[in-house]
Amino acid sequence: MTMTMNIRMKQVAAAALISFGAIGAAQAQKAEVIHWWTSGGEAAAIKEFATMYTKAGGTWVDTPIAGGGGAQARTVMANRTMGGDAPTAAQYNYGKQYEEIIKEGLLNDLDDVAKKGNWDKLLPEKIRNAVKVNGKYFAVPVNLHNENWVWFNKAVLAKAGAKEPTNMDEMFAAMDKVKAAGGVVPLALGGQGWQEGITFRGVLLATGGQDLYLKTFKDKDASTPGFRKAVETFKKLKGYVDPGSPGRDWNLATGMVIEGKAAFQMMGDWAKGEFVNAGKTAGKEYGCFMAGGPKMPYAIGGDVFVFPKQKSADSAAAQKKLAEMMISPEGQVAFNNKKGSIPIRTDVDTSKMDICAQAGVQAIKENRLLQSDNELLSPDAKGAFEDAVSKYWNSSQSADDAIKSMAVALKR
C-alpha cells in the first residue's frame, strides 16, 4: 500500500467519521415543536425556524395543532407533559399561561442561554419581565404582536368614496359609506370568543386609551363611564358584520378583506402574514392603523416557546440550540417578516419592514408598551371575561347586565 493510498484511506475514514458524527448529532438534535400556526402566513413563518434548525444540523419535527386561539395546542402540551411524553418545545403566549407547569417543576429554565446571549440587556424591560418568572427565564420570546390593529382594503374604500381612516371614529364613517354602497361587508369578523374579545379590547383602547385599559384589567374596575361607552360602542359594530360571522376562523375573515369581499377587519398583526402570503403590500393594496390612533400604547402580546424537562441530555442540547436560533437576529427577521409581527430585539435591520411593522418598532423605541390582559388577569378571569363579552355580542343582553357580568368576571 503506497503512502498516497494510506493518506487517501485516512481521509476517507476521517470523512466517514465526520459524517457519522454529523448524523449522530442530527439525531441527537431531533426536536419536536408543538405550535398552533396553521394558516398560510403562520405556516410560512414557522417554516423559517424549521429551515434554520435543519441547516444547523438538527431534525425538526413539526406538530401543528389548529384551532381555538391555541387552547387545543396548550391542552395537548399539558397532557403530554404530565403524561411523560413532552415535546422538545411548545408555543405559548406571553403571560400566565405556563406558570402552572413551572410550579409543577416541569420546565427547564433558560438562564444559561440568556446569560450567554445577554438577554438582560437585549430585551426591553417589559418583555423581559413578561418572560421571567421568579427571576428566571422560562421562555424564549420570538415576536411582539399588537392585537389592536385595523386592516382595510384600499380599493373597496376608494370605490365607496370613503376616506381611509386613522382612528375608530373615522372607521365608523367609512363603514357607513361601504354599507350604503352595498355589495361588500363593512366589517369582517370571525365569530369566535377570542376574536370577539380582541375586538372589544380594541374598542376599549380606542375609547379610553391606556388609562381605561389599566383601570379595567389592572384595577379590575368596570364601573367607569368610559367602560360603559366602550361596551356600547362594541355592540354598535354588530350592525356592520355579516350573518356568516359565527364560527368563522380569523384567517377566513382576513381573506374577505384581501379579496375585496369586506372592507375592514379588527385583528392582531398576525393577520398581516395572510396579506404577505397573498402577495399584497402594505400601503398599496391594503392599509392599517392602530385602533386608538398612531400614538396608542402597544399592548404586549405575542408568542414564546417553553422547553419541558426531558430525560435525555441530548434533548437539553437541542432545546438550547432552538432557543439560541429563535432569538438570533437572523431568526428574528426571517420569522417576523413572514409572521406579520415585529422582532423582540431592536438591533435588527428594519429597512425591509413594511410601514405597519415600522410603526410597531417605533412604539418599542418610544417605550409605548402596555401589559396585556394575559399578564394582568388569571387565565380563569380572562376566560370568564371573554365569555361575558361573547354572550353580550351574541344575544339581546342589555349593556347594564353585560357590565355586571364583566365586573364579576374581572374579580375571579
Side-chain angles (χ1 to χ4, degrees), residues 343-366:
I344 47 82
R345 52 193 303 164
T346 56
D347 61 342
V348 298
D349 181 10
T350 60
S351 62
K352 293 182 180 178
M353 293 181 181
D354 60 59
I355 55 174
C356 308
Q358 288 182 8
V361 171
Q362 188 62 29
I364 295 181
K365 290 181 176 177
E366 294 174 0

Side-chain angles (χ1 to χ4, degrees), residues 101-121:
I101 50 177
I102 292 175
K103 290 177 184 174
E104 295 294 331
L106 297 173
L107 289 187
N108 284 321
D109 72 66
L110 298 170
D111 280 2
D112 53 347
V113 178
K115 184 177 181 180
K116 182 180 176 184
N118 203 18
W119 291 12
D120 278 348
K121 290 189 176 178

Side-chain angles (χ1 to χ4, degrees), residues 201-241:
R201 291 190 291 276
V203 173
L204 192 70
L205 275 169
T207 303
Q210 175 173 303
D211 290 345
L212 180 59
Y213 190 93
L214 292 177
K215 189 73 175 174
T216 303
F217 295 123
K218 188 173 184 178
D219 298 342
K220 299 176 176 48
D221 184 352
S223 67
T224 63
F227 188 82
R228 170 174 291 279
K229 183 179 179 183
V231 167
E232 292 171 349
T233 303
F234 169 66
K235 195 62 175 280
K236 186 180 171 186
L237 287 171
K238 192 155 190 178
Y240 301 92
V241 173

Side-chain angles (χ1 to χ4, degrees), residues 60-260:
W60 179 283
V61 180
D62 205 48
T63 304
I65 299 173
Q72 284 92 328
R74 292 191 291 274
T75 299
V76 170
M77 158 63 184
N79 289 341
R80 284 187 51 179
T81 300
M82 296 289 186
D85 181 31
T88 312
Q91 179 192 358
Y92 279 83
N93 293 126
Y94 290 107
K96 300 178 184 294
Q97 291 176 351
Y98 50 95
E99 285 192 356
E100 195 61 36
I101 50 177
I102 292 175
K103 290 177 184 174
E104 295 294 331
L106 297 173
L107 289 187
N108 284 321
D109 72 66
L110 298 170
D111 280 2
D112 53 347
V113 178
K115 184 177 181 180
K116 182 180 176 184
N118 203 18
W119 291 12
D120 278 348
K121 290 189 176 178
L122 176 73
L123 299 177
E125 181 183 3
K126 289 182 179 175
I127 294 178
R128 191 167 66 236
N129 292 340
V131 293
K132 265 189 166 181
V133 177
N134 299 327
K136 286 182 169 292
Y137 287 101
F138 280 98
V140 56
V142 297
N143 59 9
L144 183 60
H145 275 303
N146 181 4
E147 66 175 16
N148 306 119
W149 283 93
V150 181
W151 311 94
F152 58 86
N153 184 304
K154 290 170 69 74
V156 166
L157 296 195
K159 188 175 180 181
K163 176 189 172 187
E164 293 184 6
T166 59
N167 57 51
M168 188 155 285
D169 287 341
E170 293 175 358
M171 174 181 157
F172 272 109
M175 288 195 299
D176 284 338
K177 290 207 170 186
V178 171
K179 191 173 182 178
V184 174
V185 176
L187 178 63
L189 175 70
Q192 298 171 349
W194 69 273
Q195 297 187 65
E196 291 154 1
I198 282 178
T199 303
F200 179 79
R201 291 190 291 276
V203 173
L204 192 70
L205 275 169
T207 303
Q210 175 173 303
D211 290 345
L212 180 59
Y213 190 93
L214 292 177
K215 189 73 175 174
T216 303
F217 295 123
K218 188 173 184 178
D219 298 342
K220 299 176 176 48
D221 184 352
S223 67
T224 63
F227 188 82
R228 170 174 291 279
K229 183 179 179 183
V231 167
E232 292 171 349
T233 303
F234 169 66
K235 195 62 175 280
K236 186 180 171 186
L237 287 171
K238 192 155 190 178
Y240 301 92
V241 173
D242 65 302
S245 169
R248 178 186 290 144
D249 289 333
W250 68 269
N251 54 311
L252 299 182
T254 308
M256 291 170 66
V257 180
I258 293 172
E259 296 166 11

